[in-house]
Amino acid sequence: MATRRNALGRGLDSLIGISEVRTDGGSAISEIDINSISPNPEQPRRSFSDEGLDELAVSIRELGIIQPLSLRMSPDGGYQIIAGERRWRAARRAGLLTVPAYVRTASDSEVTEMALIENIQREDLNAIEVALAFKKLLDTYDLTQERLSERVGKSRSVITNHLRLLRLPAEIQIALRDRKLDMGHARALLSIDDAKLQLKIFKQILKEGLSVRMVEKLARDAAEAISTDDLPKKKASQQTHDYDFFVKDLQQYFPTPVKFSRNTSGKGSITLKFDNDEQLMQLVNAFENMKK
């Protein structure tokens, strides 16, 4: 039977296997005093919905905790959560005195990675929490993006795209955190260099409920407008108009806008722009067709 690939390409068991894993009572699940457990201060997840916790607490009262928590010993003799903080919080609301758990041996870096992986696999983390967790792992443990990619089973492009979100204005990051904005909108806004313009379009998204495709078009139009404004007046003179026929001919072969500029000394450029991988592949195919 083929092994099902999980959301990250690697499971917690794979990661935990980096160092020796021990559990109290051999491989058995232990019942741990709920008051002896404390959350992990490096937990990637920062927000817990009260409504969601209440719903989970009702389920726990009826059925108990189906999946045990993962804990490690704390220096003070208690336990620190590796994975399962949401279950622990809900269990406290449900009035449980003990919770089922595995007690594992894990380093600080492994705890951070395991908490990150567990939350992403369950899709519990929002995009900003994922970005902050990636940055924490990179900065604290001096990892390269390539090494982090290997550790958490995510491609480098996924890691890079999440880290880029931290460049957005705080107001937009908060909307991503609160899931009022999705990654598609955010990527489109990142194609704009002007923070004020990013915020302007962001507010328009919230007000008008713009789709990702609409935002991508707004971003393209804004970038082209800025590029046109930056050109010296001489470059917008008759010299470029003389080549309008050439630009129109080129445009017949390419699916994205063709830009042409030339200054008085004869120097210039022909630019083919693309906003995503799909458009890039369309350009590649256009070049391939021209060879035939």
Side-chain angles (χ1 to χ4, degrees):
M1 182 180 294
T3 301
R4 183 176 65 85
R5 182 178 177 84
N6 62 41
L8 282 177
R10 298 179 64 193
L12 286 177
D13 291 339
S14 170
L15 183 60
I16 293 170
I18 294 169
S19 63
E20 180 187 3
V21 177
R22 297 195 302 272
T23 62
D24 287 353
S27 61
I29 298 170
S30 302
E31 285 291 331
I32 305 296
D33 181 351
I34 199 167
N35 293 318
S36 68
I37 299 171
S38 60
N40 173 14
E42 302 300 333
Q43 156 74 268
R45 188 175 186 182
R46 299 300 180 188
S47 59
F48 295 86
S49 162
D50 282 334
E51 182 180 354
L53 287 174
D54 287 339
E55 291 175 355
L56 182 55
V58 171
S59 174
I60 288 174
R61 287 191 196 101
E62 294 292 325
L63 302 172
I65 295 179
I66 296 174
Q67 182 177 356
L69 285 68
S70 290
L71 311 175
R72 70 168 178 172
M73 294 290 295
S74 299
D76 62 4
Y79 299 90
Q80 186 182 80
I81 297 172
I82 296 175
E85 181 174 340
R86 183 168 178 268
R87 277 164 275 157
W88 172 72
R89 288 173 178 263
R92 294 177 68 186
R93 293 192 181 205
L96 268 62
L97 300 179
T98 63
V99 291
Y102 293 104
V103 181
R104 306 184 182 280
T105 299
S107 68
D108 289 345
S109 62
E110 288 167 349
V111 168
T112 303
E113 288 174 301
M114 284 186 273
L116 170 63
I117 289 174
E118 194 228 14
N119 280 289
I120 294 179
Q121 286 178 338
R122 293 172 174 273
E123 299 183 349
D124 283 347
L125 295 184
N126 60 60
I128 292 300
E129 287 173 331
V130 173
L132 290 171
F134 283 154
K135 189 173 188 306
K136 173 73 174 179
L137 289 167
L138 288 169
D139 294 347
T140 303
Y141 304 108
D142 196 26
L143 298 175
T144 62
Q145 286 192 27
E146 183 175 0
R147 179 60 178 147
L148 178 59
S149 170
E150 295 170 357
R151 295 283 284 178
V152 302
K154 279 289 189 182
S155 69
R156 286 187 62 183
S157 62
V158 168
I159 293 171
T160 300
N161 285 335
H162 275 84
L163 292 173
R164 289 176 66 221
L165 298 177
L166 301 179
R167 303 177 191 171
L168 290 167
E171 189 174 348
I172 299 178
Q173 290 190 40
I174 291 171
L176 270 169
R177 182 200 66 189
D178 296 341
R179 303 184 191 275
K180 295 177 180 177
L181 201 68
D182 62 33
M183 279 286 287
H185 290 106
R187 281 196 294 267
L189 291 173
L190 279 166
S191 66
I192 303 170
D193 293 329
D194 188 313
K196 290 183 179 179
L197 188 53
Q198 286 176 335
L199 285 168
K200 180 180 178 182
I201 295 178
F202 160 68
K203 291 174 181 177
Q204 192 174 346
I205 294 170
L206 298 185
K207 182 179 180 181
E208 302 177 19
L210 301 180
S211 69
V212 173
R213 194 172 295 276
M214 291 176 180
V215 178
E216 288 173 345
K217 184 178 186 307
L218 283 175
R220 283 196 301 272
D221 293 345
E224 289 172 6
I226 292 172
S227 178
T228 302
D229 290 343
D230 288 343
L231 290 173
K233 294 300 180 182
K234 288 184 179 179
K235 293 185 182 180
S237 67
Q238 186 63 36
Q239 293 194 45
T240 55
H241 293 309
D242 290 342
Y243 291 89
D244 281 351
F245 71 96
F246 174 57
V247 175
K248 289 179 181 177
D249 284 345
L250 282 177
Q251 190 64 73
Q252 294 179 21
Y253 296 96
F254 298 105
T256 60
V258 177
K259 296 197 67 175
F260 173 87
S261 64
R262 179 178 180 273
N263 62 21
T264 54
S265 67
K267 293 182 179 180
S269 64
I270 298 172
T271 305
L272 298 171
K273 298 188 66 174
F274 58 91
D275 296 308
N276 50 52
D277 288 343
E278 181 181 352
Q279 289 186 357
L280 173 59
M281 290 308 302
Q282 289 175 351
L283 288 174
V284 171
N285 290 335
F287 276 111
E288 291 296 325
N289 291 334
M290 291 174 69
K291 293 179 182 178
K292 297 177 181 178

